[in-house]
Amino acid sequence: MAASSSPELILTAAEWTFSGYPTPEAPWTRDQKLAAVKQAGFDAITCPADGAELKELLAKHGLRHTGGYFFAEASEAPAHLAACRELGDGPVNVQLGHHDTPVEEAVPMIEELMREGERLGVDVHIETHRARCTETPEKIAAILKQYRERNGKYPRLNFDFSHPAVVKHLSSPFFEERLFDFPEVFQASSVWHMRPFNGHHCQIPITDGRGNFSPEYEQCRPFVRAAMALWLAGPPPRGRLWVVPELGPVDSGYGLSCFPDVWEDAVVLGRDLRAIWAEELGKL
């Protein structure tokens, strides 16, 4: 594969991971967070585009940006999408609606967001996520079907596979069989929130606290590899994939008090994602 056409991994830290970090009483400043992100070898950070300070800090630390938002209605989006565009060319992830937003309302909202993204030149993705219009695998499928019937193509989705896996209580041998229902939609995505999971916990520890991968993460790694291989097998040009090791802190309910340090785990996960990517890319 020629270097000019080689797919690019943009390893992206989640600012959310730093919530209340290192302690709720003395959390890091954004400058400290971005310094840690850069030092750990990440290429970018995902967070809302919320002011001139962020633009200055991104430039200071040599980091790229992707946006992340919750919108109850699509009408909330334009100003935020425009602000993200001012920070670069990263995709924007949107959690949309509520758990009880019906498909018939969700599809027009997604259409509005896709149109607004195209108008502004922003790559908008809708995240598969609990408590949103994409909460269950059945609603995701219904939204994709109706959207395609109305538009002749699928919308852009960011697959957080941990949520449907937990909804279905899947065991790891069935991850690939049950979670890749729409492989062409995943292959068309340019952002992926990769939070390691099992069928009962949408976030698992990456390490055992002693420098080794946890048994739970070892069980999830084959799926991580399969997902990267699936994306890389998509139709050319493959472009960029912004992968977020999306580990939530204890105060979010995702991390548990018995887990190892969440940021240190995110760094380990990021390094492993980069290594798996390199291995799968080398097979092309």
Side-chain angles (χ1 to χ4, degrees), residues 1-9 123 156 184-190 230-241 277 281 284:
M1 177 178 291
S4 60
S5 63
S6 181
E8 182 183 6
L9 171 70
D123 187 14
R156 304 275 270 179
E184 66 272 40
V185 182
F186 178 63
Q187 289 173 331
S189 301
S190 58
L230 175 63
W231 190 90
L232 287 166
R238 299 308 304 128
R240 300 168 181 155
L241 182 60
W277 171 273
L281 185 61
L284 297 183

Side-chain angles (χ1 to χ4, degrees), residues 128 136-142 144-145 148 154 157 159 161 164-165 168 170 174-187 223 230:
T128 61
T136 67
E138 291 78 12
K139 287 190 72 176
I140 294 166
L144 288 173
K145 179 176 183 293
R148 189 177 192 185
Y154 289 120
L157 292 191
F159 285 88
F161 292 107
K168 294 298 185 181
L170 301 181
F174 298 99
F175 287 168
E176 293 178 49
E177 175 186 339
R178 300 285 299 278
L179 295 177
F180 291 151
D181 287 341
F182 295 93
E184 66 272 40
V185 182
F186 178 63
Q187 289 173 331
F223 175 77
L230 175 63

Side-chain angles (χ1 to χ4, degrees), residues 271-284:
R271 290 172 182 162
D272 195 44
L273 292 174
R274 199 183 289 282
I276 293 172
W277 171 273
E279 291 167 4
E280 293 306 313
L281 185 61
K283 297 175 182 178
L284 297 183

Side-chain angles (χ1 to χ4, degrees), residues 237-275:
R238 299 308 304 128
R240 300 168 181 155
L241 182 60
W242 301 65
V243 179
V244 182
E246 192 189 19
L247 296 188
V250 171
D251 67 9
S252 71
Y254 286 86
L256 301 180
S257 60
C258 58
F259 281 11
D261 182 284
V262 66
W263 169 241
E264 292 179 5
D265 255 16
V267 172
V268 172
L269 176 57
R271 290 172 182 162
D272 195 44
L273 292 174
R274 199 183 289 282

Side-chain angles (χ1 to χ4, degrees), residues 45-221:
I45 191 164
T46 182
C47 61
D50 56 5
E53 180 198 31
L54 177 58
K55 187 173 185 178
E56 294 171 359
L57 290 174
L58 290 169
K60 174 182 176 180
H61 296 289
L63 291 169
R64 302 170 76 172
H65 172 264
T66 75
Y69 295 95
F70 160 65
F71 298 137
E73 302 289 344
S75 58
E76 302 173 34
H80 297 289
L81 298 184
C84 287
R85 184 189 57 189
E86 294 301 312
L87 295 179
D89 61 352
V92 175
N93 180 60
V94 175
Q95 297 177 15
L96 183 64
H98 300 282
H99 73 95
D100 56 355
T101 300
V103 171
E104 293 72 22
E105 292 181 12
V107 170
M109 286 199 293
I110 294 172
E111 290 172 333
E112 184 177 344
L113 279 168
M114 295 296 117
R115 286 194 300 268
E116 188 64 18
E118 290 177 5
R119 184 183 74 82
L120 292 169
V122 176
D123 187 14
V124 178
H125 287 62
I126 308 301
E127 185 175 3
T128 61
H129 203 277
R130 60 165 180 81
R132 306 297 178 230
C133 68
T134 52
E135 182 172 59
T136 67
E138 291 78 12
K139 287 190 72 176
I140 294 166
I143 286 170
L144 288 173
K145 179 176 183 293
Q146 190 174 123
Y147 188 100
R148 189 177 192 185
E149 288 173 350
R150 290 164 58 113
N151 298 277
K153 60 182 179 180
Y154 289 120
R156 304 275 270 179
L157 292 191
N158 166 21
F159 285 88
D160 182 339
F161 292 107
S162 69
H163 295 294
V166 170
V167 168
K168 294 298 185 181
H169 287 295
L170 301 181
S171 58
S172 55
F174 298 99
F175 287 168
E176 293 178 49
E177 175 186 339
R178 300 285 299 278
L179 295 177
F180 291 151
D181 287 341
F182 295 93
E184 66 272 40
V185 182
F186 178 63
Q187 289 173 331
S189 301
S190 58
V191 59
W192 176 28
H193 283 190
M194 200 309 101
R195 176 174 40 246
F197 58 90
N198 61 31
H200 299 278
H201 305 276
C202 66
Q203 181 169 308
I204 55 175
I206 308 306
T207 68
D208 61 3
R210 299 185 297 275
N212 307 304
F213 288 148
S214 70
E216 294 80 9
Y217 180 56
E218 290 280 16
Q219 289 182 336
C220 187
R221 280 187 89 231

